[in-house]
Amino acid sequence: MADSTSRSQSVDELFAFETLLDTEEKDIRATVRAFGTDRIRPHLADWFEEGTVPARELAKELGALGLLGMHLEGYGCAGTSATAYGLACMELEAMDSGIRSLVSVQGSLAMFAIWKYGSEEQKQQWLPGMAEGNLIGCFGLTEADYGSNPGGMRTRARQDGSDWILDGSKMWITNGPVADVAIVWAQTDDKIRGFVVPTDTPGFTANTVKKKLSLRASITGELVLDGVRLPESAMLPEARGLGGPLGCLNEARFGIVFGAMGAARDCLESAIEYSKTREVFDKPLGGYQLTQAKLANMAVELGKGELLALHLGRLKDQGELRGEQVSVGKLNNVREALKIARECRTILAANGITLEYPVLRHANNLESVLTYEGTSEVHQLVIGQALTGSSAVR
């Protein structure tokens, strides 16, 4: 057993996590962490309390760092590895889930949809400006009554000569009220298709969702499409059916696998530091066996989750990552991150409910992360089907 004066270690040191990273990955991680310390963290409590974030300003700064669509090739994108992108997500969500969501929706949903399924004209028109952060995108798939079952969406696109006319609505759309372009998925006579919709198109409106108790440092909206007329060239030519939007969601879920561990790490680091200085019965709280048991259990789950994320990142870089493996990562890491946030709150006691510390803010955010980009139940069914070969949905 270590003696009572041994130096305290971080979870990264405990698991020797950095020894598994290359120089570029370490540099990206350090750059994003420093940006968070200098630019984001001083304002998070105010943004969360006010229920807003300077999305346009931040998008340009994040774009200048090369973080928007960073794992995509060409069109002004940085072209990093998937693992490097994941590590950036980890650092972004260590700040706040809303900040990571801004980057994920921009790069892994809106930009990825154009990059993967768009025409060359669409890529040239939108991707460079989005990579710079001068243009903001959003992703319109979810509807008020169709979350886990997006195939039932009511939004409809019908042809009128060579044009398309879109009618319907989308709900819980991150970046929606500030977006310059929306990727909107709609039912057509030829399955579900995606459309690139400039938000200044007549008939398109975005209403801000207010009174949220979670993801408050993020802008969420409802998209309303009332006779939105688009040229034929607005359709994403390479996406037909649910495979298109679901492919985008897998990209976003991958970032969440890493990101959730960033939120958990921030909570645990806060709890550890608090336990060293808070005295109870003339002794630091961290010197009690019950507190150390909590910290040890959380550190083990955090370390396991970080190693799982890194493993999935390596698989993705090798082109071998499967959808059910992303579900394993999302299910485990978000579930464990939320448990860690809640447990850390107990260590901070009453101080844990204030915005002076990040734990309850992270816990509130993780309640949303637990159910967006696929609920835990949906991911359990994906994993269950992989294990049994039988779908429990249909």
Side-chain angles (χ1 to χ4, degrees), residues 277-312:
T277 58
R278 176 71 161 97
E279 289 205 356
V280 180
F281 301 115
D282 303 318
K283 178 179 177 180
L285 181 61
Y288 288 92
Q289 291 182 2
L290 286 175
T291 302
Q292 290 192 5
K294 289 181 179 182
L295 296 175
N297 288 338
M298 290 188 286
V300 168
E301 293 307 320
L302 174 60
K304 286 157 58 177
E306 288 184 341
L307 292 176
L308 173 59
L310 186 61
H311 176 58
L312 296 182

Side-chain angles (χ1 to χ4, degrees), residues 7 303 332 349 381:
R7 182 184 67 85
N332 179 79
L381 295 180

Side-chain angles (χ1 to χ4, degrees), residues 5-132:
T5 60
S6 61
R7 182 184 67 85
S8 60
Q9 299 181 40
S10 69
V11 175
D12 276 6
E13 290 176 303
L14 190 63
F15 282 79
F17 186 74
E18 285 225 347
T19 65
L20 304 175
L21 307 181
D22 64 29
T23 301
E24 182 184 37
E25 291 163 349
K26 291 176 184 177
D27 288 345
I28 289 173
R29 194 180 190 217
T31 297
V32 180
R33 188 175 295 190
F35 173 75
T37 299
D38 296 339
R39 176 67 181 91
I40 304 295
R41 289 184 182 276
H43 307 289
L44 277 174
D46 291 336
W47 292 343
F48 192 89
E49 190 166 41
E50 294 164 7
T52 189
V53 67
R56 286 203 162 275
E57 183 180 337
L58 287 180
K60 292 180 180 180
E61 295 179 47
L62 292 163
L65 287 176
L67 298 179
L68 302 180
M70 63 182 284
H71 59 309
L72 306 180
E73 295 282 349
Y75 308 99
C77 301
T80 68
S81 68
T83 301
Y85 168 61
L87 292 167
C89 286
M90 187 181 290
E91 296 307 319
L92 290 166
E93 197 144 357
M95 305 170 205
D96 190 88
S97 300
I99 306 301
R100 197 266 309 142
S101 290
L102 191 161
V103 172
S104 289
V105 169
Q106 179 85 343
S108 290
L109 291 178
M111 291 179 69
F112 181 80
I114 297 171
W115 183 85
K116 179 74 173 178
Y117 304 115
S119 66
E120 185 61 28
E121 179 184 358
Q122 290 167 341
K123 295 172 187 178
Q124 295 286 355
Q125 179 180 0
W126 294 107
L127 292 180
M130 295 174 79
E132 293 169 350

Side-chain angles (χ1 to χ4, degrees), residues 47-49 51-52 93 96-98 101 172 174 209-220 338 360-372:
W47 292 343
F48 192 89
E49 190 166 41
T52 189
E93 197 144 357
D96 190 88
S97 300
S101 290
W172 308 117
T174 298
V209 175
K210 298 182 178 180
K211 299 183 179 180
K212 296 183 298 180
L213 297 176
S214 178
L215 291 176
R216 291 181 55 78
S218 176
I219 298 177
T220 308
L338 184 54
L360 198 57
R361 172 170 56 80
H362 281 306
N364 281 10
N365 288 338
L366 288 166
E367 289 288 354
S368 291
V369 180
L370 187 69
T371 55
Y372 74 21

